Amino acid sequence: AELWREVCEEGQATMQSRAKLRRVMVHAVDSAVEAVQLCYHTAGGSALFENEPFELALRDVHATAGHLVMQREMMEDAGRVALGLPPLLGNF
């Protein structure tokens, strides 16, 4: 809500808000990967079949985690911004 307010009122979000969003996004994807892997493991051998939802979920969650903005390396730039330093990556 804070980020959206900034965009509506000022035309863009602050670097601090973008960094916070980036941290939240990376944490959410890390948590999703862990949850799906636990389900996949618990399903056992039946999870291996392509027609089962476990295989598709595992593939999808890892594809999401592989996206540039969802990778753990983004946490470094988010931390830099939180400390008042400029981000190293240009796509922040």
Side-chain angles (χ1 to χ4, degrees), residues 3-65:
L3 186 125
W4 182 245
R5 181 193 54 73
E6 289 174 1
V7 170
C8 289
E9 291 178 4
E10 302 168 25
Q12 66 180 12
T14 64
M15 185 66 73
Q16 295 292 76
S17 291
R18 287 185 285 171
K20 184 177 181 180
L21 177 63
R22 199 57 64 94
R23 290 191 309 268
V24 169
M25 289 168 41
V26 172
H27 176 70
V29 169
D30 283 351
S31 297
V33 168
E34 184 178 356
V36 171
Q37 285 182 169
L38 287 169
C39 291
Y40 186 86
H41 178 73
T42 301
S46 64
L48 297 172
F49 299 104
E50 287 185 15
N51 61 341
E52 295 296 327
F54 301 108
E55 192 273 336
L56 179 60
L58 186 69
R59 194 168 8 125
D60 286 351
V61 79
H62 280 285
T64 301

Side-chain angles (χ1 to χ4, degrees), residues 16 19 23 74-89:
Q16 295 292 76
R23 290 191 309 268
M74 289 295 158
M75 290 295 234
E76 180 180 352
D77 266 356
R80 288 180 59 83
V81 171
L83 295 172
L85 301 170
L88 297 174
L89 299 174

